[in-house]
């Protein structure tokens, strides 16, 4: 049998395209290298707790169309993420808010906080890398306390070699609001994310544990590819860099291990970046608890999973060369975080896929 479309990857971009084409009456097959659907948004239930296997995923967006679309496939519980951070033996509140500035600078008002930040960053003249941009944003003391060690562990590079664009993702507010995200719509699917992908891919053949590059494949007329774009072109222009992590999951016979869903560990001497306690996302009542510890690990081409693109000048130039090649291929489409080499959040991938389906398919 020859399929109208073969889709590589069963994450949000691939699954949305698959459903769109299937609903149009096209024949579609999805190939997935892992042994499960859902990409990094996959959740699995253990002991009554939905574990975010590849790290915490909170769906947040300001786009009412995207929010209405995702709510077709699961019941979303309203959820406001509160992140705590351990540094130098003390616990701080994230994102950077008046709680943070009060503890770091003894600032009691927004004007006092702004004064201390300006004074603490007065000798920074540019914002051409993550370090200088972060110091300008929160002051040197907060930067060195809560950002520098964590970031250099996470990216396994000196902060002054990382692009300033990364720090733009860090919320900073001069109120006592501890909600990590500012978006209008925020929630967690009751029952986990996997159910969403099961509904998106209902009636569509999915070939698990199938490597697009090495496994036998059915015939197809069109290709939608959501994997690493550099691998697609056999690294012709060089390998792109990614940040990657290893998640170690562990069960505790305790109702509450750390008292919050996410605790960051900012000291560089601590080998992990954060600990996730999954039961706090849905607020389930269980006797035990599952936690996940995230350890940064070097990205090795073909050996470790690519997670987050390193969008510095060098890597963006390499990606530009691959993008030009991709645009010249007939009947081949590229989309998603890895194929577009973009630091997408979930809602951005969903919006990108819906727009792609409307414009191209």
């Amino acid at each position: 049998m020859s399929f109208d479309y073969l889709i590589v990857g069963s994450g949000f971009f691939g699954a949305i395209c698959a459903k769109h084409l299937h609903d149009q009456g096209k024949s579609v097959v999805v190939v997935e290298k892992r042994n499960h659907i859902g990409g990094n948004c996959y959740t699995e239930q253990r002991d009554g707790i939905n574990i975010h296997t590849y790290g915490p995923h909170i769906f947040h967006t300001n786009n009412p169309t995207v929010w209405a679309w995702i709510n077709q496939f699961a019941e979303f519980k309203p959820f406001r993420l509160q992140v705590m951070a351990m540094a130098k033996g003390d616990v701080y509140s994230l994102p950077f808010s008046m709680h943070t500035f009060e503890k770091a600078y003894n600032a009691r008002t927004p004007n006092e906080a702004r004064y201390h930040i300006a004074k603490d960053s007065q000798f920074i003249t540019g914002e051409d890398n993550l370090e200088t941009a972060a110091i300008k944003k929160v002051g040197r003391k907060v930067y060195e306390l809560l950002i520098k060690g964590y970031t250099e562990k996470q990216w396994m590079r000196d902060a002054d070699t990382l692009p300033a664009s990364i720090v733009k993702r860090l919320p900073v507010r001069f109120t006592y609001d501890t909600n990590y995200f500012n978006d209008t719509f925020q929630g967690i699917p009751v029952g986990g994310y996997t159910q969403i992908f099961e509904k998106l891919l209902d009636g569509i053949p999915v070939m698990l544990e199938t490597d697009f590059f090495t496994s036998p494949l059915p015939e197809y007329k069109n290709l939608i590819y959501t994997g690493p774009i550099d691998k697609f072109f056999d690294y012709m222009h060089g390998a792109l860099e990614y940040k990657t992590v290893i998640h170690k999951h562990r069960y505790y016979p305790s109702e509450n291990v750390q008292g919050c869903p996410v605790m960051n560990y900012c000291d560089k001497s601590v080998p992990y970046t954060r600990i996730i306690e999954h039961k706090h996302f849905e607020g389930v009542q269980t006797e035990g608890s599952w936690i996940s510890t995230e350890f940064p690990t070097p990205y090795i081409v073909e050996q470790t999973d690519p997670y987050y693109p390193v969008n510095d000048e060098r890597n963006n130039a390499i990606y530009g060369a691959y993008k030009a090649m991709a645009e010249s291929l007939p009947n081949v489409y590229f989309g998603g975080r890895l194929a577009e080499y973009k630091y997408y959040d979930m809602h951005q991938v969903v919006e990108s896929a819906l727009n792609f389906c409307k414009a191209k398919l």
Side-chain angles (χ1 to χ4, degrees):
M1 176 181 178
S2 177
F3 289 88
D4 293 321
Y5 285 85
L6 184 142
I7 298 176
V8 181
S10 64
F12 266 120
F13 197 96
I16 290 171
C17 291
K19 176 173 175 55
H20 177 86
L21 292 164
H22 179 70
D23 289 349
Q24 285 189 333
K26 304 292 185 181
S27 58
V28 184
V29 61
V30 175
V31 298
E32 170 57 59
K33 187 176 181 180
R34 289 171 170 163
N35 64 359
H36 60 75
I37 59 176
N40 288 351
C41 295
Y42 172 72
T43 52
E44 56 182 321
Q45 189 175 105
R46 298 184 189 179
D47 302 298
I49 300 168
N50 289 303
I51 297 173
H52 297 220
T53 306
Y54 301 98
H57 288 83
I58 294 84
F59 203 96
H60 57 98
T61 181
N62 284 318
N63 188 325
T65 301
V66 169
W67 183 243
W69 180 89
I70 196 73
N71 273 267
Q72 298 176 86
F73 305 101
E75 174 192 351
F76 274 75
K77 172 189 175 181
F79 182 83
R80 296 293 187 265
L81 178 63
Q82 293 180 312
V83 178
M84 308 305 293
M86 185 81 70
K88 309 298 183 187
D90 286 327
V91 176
Y92 294 82
S93 175
L94 294 180
F96 304 100
S97 69
M98 285 303 301
H99 287 286
T100 320
F101 302 133
E102 190 279 330
K103 193 163 187 177
Y105 295 118
N106 198 31
R108 303 300 173 86
T109 68
N111 282 341
E112 286 182 15
R114 288 189 175 94
Y115 167 80
H116 285 291
I117 291 170
K119 182 179 178 181
D120 210 22
S121 63
Q122 61 183 315
F123 298 113
I124 301 297
T125 56
E127 298 181 40
D128 52 349
N129 59 61
L130 185 148
E131 179 168 280
T132 54
I135 292 173
K136 271 295 185 184
K137 203 167 188 179
V138 297
R140 184 175 293 278
K141 183 176 182 179
V142 171
Y143 163 73
E144 292 182 348
L145 191 68
L146 299 176
I147 298 177
K148 180 177 172 63
Y150 183 91
T151 299
E152 293 184 346
K153 278 194 301 184
Q154 184 183 45
W155 292 91
M156 308 192 85
R157 289 174 55 175
D158 291 339
D160 60 5
T161 69
L162 289 165
S165 59
I166 295 174
V167 84
K168 293 179 181 178
R169 297 172 59 87
L170 299 177
V172 175
R173 57 177 71 101
F174 293 93
T175 68
Y176 285 92
D177 178 10
T178 58
N179 178 20
Y180 195 84
F181 301 112
N182 290 317
D183 301 87
T184 304
F185 309 104
Q186 302 178 46
I188 292 281
V190 178
Y193 281 94
T194 302
Q195 60 180 316
I196 297 173
F197 297 94
E198 290 172 344
K199 293 172 183 176
L200 288 171
L201 297 170
D202 184 36
I204 298 169
V206 179
M207 300 170 63
L208 297 177
E209 298 182 276
T210 301
D211 190 321
F212 171 72
F213 298 98
T214 60
S215 302
L217 300 173
E219 294 183 2
Y220 59 92
K221 300 171 185 174
N222 301 278
L223 174 68
I224 297 175
Y225 178 80
T226 71
I229 192 170
D230 53 348
K231 184 174 181 178
F232 186 90
F233 292 106
D234 198 25
Y235 310 104
M236 183 179 300
H237 297 290
L240 291 165
E241 289 183 273
Y242 293 90
K243 178 179 81 71
T244 189
V245 295
I246 293 175
H247 304 87
K248 294 189 176 180
H249 309 298
R250 185 176 177 185
Y251 177 80
Y252 275 83
S254 170
E255 291 184 5
N256 188 354
V257 177
Q258 65 180 16
C260 63
V262 180
M263 177 72 77
N264 288 1
Y265 288 82
C266 301
D267 297 342
K268 208 168 182 180
S269 58
V270 179
Y272 43 85
T273 52
R274 61 183 179 177
I275 294 178
I276 315 303
E277 188 168 8
H278 300 273
K279 69 185 305 178
H280 293 298
F281 292 124
E282 294 182 53
V284 295
Q285 301 300 313
T286 57
E287 293 182 359
S289 188
W290 277 92
I291 69 165
S292 298
T293 306
E294 293 189 3
F295 293 85
T297 187
Y299 173 66
I300 302 174
V301 177
E302 305 281 1
Q303 295 184 39
T304 52
D305 288 334
Y307 275 78
Y308 308 103
V310 182
N311 290 118
D312 59 14
E313 186 175 347
R314 173 188 170 275
N315 283 290
N316 287 341
I318 294 174
Y319 168 68
Y322 288 128
K323 182 181 179 183
M325 295 176 68
E327 291 173 346
S328 68
L329 294 178
N331 304 319
V332 180
Y333 306 94
F334 294 78
R337 176 181 280 190
L338 301 181
E340 296 181 63
Y341 202 64
K342 286 185 179 179
Y343 201 150
Y344 275 138
D345 285 331
M346 282 186 296
H347 66 287
Q348 294 168 321
V349 177
V350 169
E351 184 174 5
S352 174
L354 293 175
N355 290 338
F356 170 78
C357 289
K358 184 177 181 180
K360 302 291 186 181
L361 304 181

